[in-house]
């Protein structure tokens, strides 16, 4: 049985019911698109991915390392779509590394006049979306949820 949370709506005497398992499944699906596919490209087609996923001139070892991490997030996300509460740890890892990356690298890079390619803008948008979604929906009790949803 999935955890459901009632959130008061703006209409008096009504409630909106949210199925957390389905929200997590959506987050895993976004992970698959935003991390799994770019990770696959970086690992198996690094020359192609260099110009579309990262900045040109990136070190091959760094690209394939990042690609391996993102691909593993994509694979874990596939498993998370099946068992949403069992793989929540992947969101915690992402929340931490994305927050650090946005604060330490992206913010100063943009403030100093750095230009991001379109793919990086999309990836950063997905990062911000997932960080906000994690902060809004994931609670410590979700990590101990015993459901098989």
């Amino acid at each position: 049985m999935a955890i459901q949370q009632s959130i008061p709506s703006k209409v008096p005497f009504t409630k909106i019911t949210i199925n957390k398992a389905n929200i997590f499944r959506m987050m895993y699906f976004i992970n698959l698109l935003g991390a799994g596919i770019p990770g696959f490209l970086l690992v198996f087609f690094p020359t192609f991915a260099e110009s579309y996923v990262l900045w040109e001139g990136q070190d091959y070892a760094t690209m394939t390392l990042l690609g391996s991490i993102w691909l593993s997030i994509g694979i874990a996300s596939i498993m998370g779509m099946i068992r949403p509460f069992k793989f929540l740890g992947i969101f915690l890892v992402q929340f931490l590394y994305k927050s650090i990356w946005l604060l330490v690298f992206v913010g100063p890079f943009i403030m100093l006049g750095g230009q991001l390619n379109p793919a990086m803008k999309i990836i950063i948008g997905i990062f911000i979306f997932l960080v906000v979604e994690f902060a809004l929906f994931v609670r410590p009790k979700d990590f101990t949820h015993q459901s098989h949803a």
Side-chain angles (χ1 to χ4, degrees):
M1 180 173 183
I3 290 179
Q4 292 189 348
Q5 179 177 344
S6 294
I7 297 177
S9 72
K10 294 183 181 191
V11 180
F13 309 109
T14 62
K15 290 183 180 180
I16 299 171
T17 301
I18 294 177
N19 182 322
K20 279 190 139 182
N22 288 337
I23 289 173
F24 295 153
R25 284 184 179 101
M26 180 186 69
M27 290 170 66
Y28 289 121
F29 182 73
I30 292 168
N31 266 347
L32 180 61
L33 297 177
I37 292 172
F40 179 83
L41 293 173
L42 285 168
V43 170
F44 295 105
F45 303 100
T47 305
F48 170 79
E50 179 182 24
S51 58
Y52 292 102
V53 178
L54 300 174
W55 294 274
E56 290 187 35
Q58 293 294 305
D59 176 57
Y60 179 77
T62 303
M63 282 187 354
T64 55
L65 174 63
L66 179 61
S68 298
I69 293 168
W70 283 356
L71 182 56
S72 66
I73 289 170
I75 292 168
S77 294
I78 291 170
M79 295 184 283
M81 284 189 275
I82 298 166
R83 305 283 301 263
F85 292 93
K86 296 287 183 190
F87 291 90
L88 283 177
I90 198 73
F91 293 132
L92 180 59
V93 170
Q94 286 184 282
F95 177 78
L96 293 172
Y97 97 78
K98 290 174 182 181
S99 297
I100 292 167
W101 187 71
L102 289 169
L103 290 171
V104 174
F105 175 74
V106 175
F109 180 77
I110 292 172
M111 290 174 64
L112 293 172
Q115 297 295 315
L116 301 171
N117 68 26
M120 284 307 295
K121 290 177 184 177
I122 292 170
I123 289 170
I124 290 168
I126 291 170
F127 279 13
I128 292 170
F129 176 77
L130 288 172
V131 165
V132 169
E133 198 166 31
F134 179 88
L136 290 176
F137 291 108
V138 179
R139 299 290 173 254
K141 67 180 179 177
D142 295 329
F143 288 96
T144 60
H145 186 260
Q146 300 299 315
S147 173
H148 297 292

